Amino acid sequence: MRQSASPVGDSTPAGLAANRQEILAGLMAAQKQLEPKYLYDERGSRLFDEICTLPEYYPTRTEVNLLRTNAAAIASFIGPRAEVLELGAGSSLKASLLLGCLDEPAIYVPVDISADYLEQQAAEVAALFPRVMVRPVLADFTDALALPRPLTRERTVVFFPGSTIGNLSRRRAAALLSTLAEQMRGGALLLGVDICKDAATLHAAYNDSRGVTAAFNLNLLARLNRELDADFELDAFEHDAVYDLQNERIEMRLVSQRDQVVNVAGMAILFRKGEYIISEHSHKYDPDDLARMATAAGWRLDQCWIDDSERFSLQYLRAPTIS
Ligand code: AVJ
């Protein structure tokens, strides 16, 4: 059997050309804004991996430590022969950690929008775990209909790490949790989420000293140039990330350094000096609020793990039973 087939699914769920109308509307709105999923072409996925290794970017390190420290408890909650579905899978590191602590995991289904990257990471997992069936799915995890149906119900665990859910507005995050609770009846959810904290720590995490986050953000403009025939001058924009205390979220911006006109897919777009595109929101959650939100969506909280510095939380939630 071929362990890691080519991903199934729409071939360009997050391709720019396929989403031209939406992207142009975002750039012509009073407040220019693009969806964060567009940050993840192959280069963006690589730069994000590099962010995860930065000293200032504490979430990945903290979550990996939580997974390591609580591996035995997590494995006993999940049980044997699990079917693991990972949303926004990204790098194979966390999946390998999780699969490594489980008792004979049966199936691993990484879901991601970055095609080549998904295939490479799935192949790595398949090589490390020859007894696990690896079935990558190319899809946008916010599109409930595109999500693969689990084969086993009771043995399905959705692995949703990295605080990826933070990219959604609180309303859309709640809606996704509801949809997942319904679709994953009988199963469980292992959810990793960044916790609200002081603005200085957050500011440093999203404005790193080596400029990797800046490169990651500016890559979005390079991608628009490549895929949507745009003519952004990368030197004429700067990365900034600000913490919005009221909404408890980081806002990543691409700030125009002067008045300028940029052409995107044949449309002329005016930027005033200081005007910016919002390229990502990263919402932070108080663990109790998150648990309340999940409970309202139909999940039951079995366990919440938090690191000693209270930076990151990992919650194990159970879906409604099969009726
Ligand atoms: C992948 C969305 C969880 O919000 O921390 C990291 C993305 N952006 N640095 C995050 C990100 C800038 C990351 N998520």
Side-chain angles (χ1 to χ4, degrees), residues 36 39-40 48 51-52 57 59 161-167 194 205-206 213 216 239 241 250 252 280-284:
L39 292 163
Y40 299 94
F48 179 65
I51 288 174
C52 291
Y57 194 73
S163 207
T164 305
I165 197 171
N167 268 174
D194 197 14
Y206 291 84
T213 309
F216 170 68
H239 160 78
I250 284 282
M252 279 223 306
E280 174 178 61
H281 280 136
S282 181
H283 294 81
K284 309 303 171 188

Side-chain angles (χ1 to χ4, degrees), residues 4-315:
S4 177
S6 287
V8 235
D10 182 341
S11 61
T12 54
L16 299 193
N19 294 288
R20 183 174 164 273
Q21 290 302 334
E22 184 218 294
I23 289 167
L24 286 174
L27 291 174
M28 293 189 295
Q31 171 58 67
K32 297 174 168 53
Q33 183 159 7
L34 294 173
E35 283 202 42
K37 67 180 177 192
Y38 298 126
L39 292 163
Y40 299 94
D41 62 349
E42 169 125 34
R43 175 151 189 269
S45 295
R46 299 270 164 218
L47 285 166
F48 179 65
D49 278 356
E50 202 178 329
I51 288 174
C52 291
T53 68
L54 294 171
E56 297 103 325
Y57 194 73
Y58 62 85
T60 310
R61 222 183 319 125
T62 312
E63 184 175 44
V64 164
N65 282 336
L66 280 172
L67 284 168
R68 286 218 171 93
T69 315
N70 302 291
I74 292 168
S76 77
F77 273 121
I78 294 176
R81 298 184 307 284
E83 177 174 349
V84 179
L85 204 116
E86 184 174 5
L87 305 186
S91 140
S92 62
L93 173 77
K94 289 173 200 168
S96 300
L97 250 176
L98 180 64
L99 293 171
C101 79
L102 296 181
D103 179 11
E104 289 186 48
I107 309 177
Y108 172 59
V109 181
V111 179
D112 204 278
I113 48 171
S114 199
D116 296 340
Y117 187 74
L118 171 66
E119 203 165 346
Q120 288 160 25
Q121 299 301 309
E124 281 187 28
V125 174
L128 276 171
F129 299 94
R131 294 164 60 101
V132 177
M133 232 202 294
V134 177
R135 290 288 176 272
V137 172
L138 183 63
D140 176 352
F141 64 76
T142 61
D143 176 7
L145 293 177
L147 286 183
R149 300 278 149 171
L151 302 175
T152 54
R153 294 284 188 175
E154 303 72 20
R155 289 188 274 124
T156 300
V157 59
V158 175
F159 184 37
F160 198 6
S163 207
T164 305
I165 197 171
N167 268 174
L168 305 180
S169 67
R170 285 175 213 279
R171 195 169 45 79
R172 287 184 65 208
L176 179 62
L177 286 174
S178 295
T179 309
L180 281 177
E182 196 48 48
Q183 280 197 20
M184 300 301 158
R185 271 181 180 276
L189 169 65
L190 183 59
L191 180 63
V193 181
D194 197 14
I195 298 176
C196 310
K197 58 182 61 64
D198 64 281
T201 303
L202 285 167
H203 188 269
Y206 291 84
N207 295 278
D208 68 274
S209 56
R210 282 176 42 203
V212 183
T213 309
F216 170 68
N217 201 6
L218 284 160
N219 178 55
L220 179 58
L221 301 182
R223 191 182 180 194
L224 285 160
N225 288 350
R226 285 192 296 268
E227 293 183 35
L228 264 190
D229 199 23
D231 59 2
F232 281 98
E233 275 182 49
L234 300 201
D235 293 347
F237 287 84
E238 264 182 26
H239 160 78
D240 192 18
V242 299
Y243 188 53
D244 172 351
L245 258 167
Q246 199 135 56
N247 292 303
E248 294 180 312
R249 67 186 185 198
I250 284 282
E251 181 168 288
M252 279 223 306
R253 299 173 177 172
L254 287 157
V255 188
S256 177
Q257 298 304 295
R258 48 176 160 85
D259 289 355
Q260 56 183 318
V261 175
V262 179
N263 296 292
V264 183
M267 298 291 297
I269 296 172
L270 172 71
F271 286 85
R272 291 291 180 199
K273 181 177 179 177
E275 194 183 354
Y276 54 84
I277 303 171
I278 299 174
S279 53
E280 174 178 61
H281 280 136
S282 181
H283 294 81
K284 309 303 171 188
Y285 285 88
D286 172 89
D288 291 332
D289 290 344
L290 181 70
R292 263 191 290 279
M293 191 165 118
T295 306
W299 296 91
R300 278 185 332 191
L301 179 66
D302 271 354
Q303 181 92 50
C304 176
W305 297 277
I306 297 174
D307 62 297
D308 292 340
S309 308
E310 299 187 12
R311 292 186 152 191
F312 202 93
S313 76
L314 199 55
Q315 308 208 354

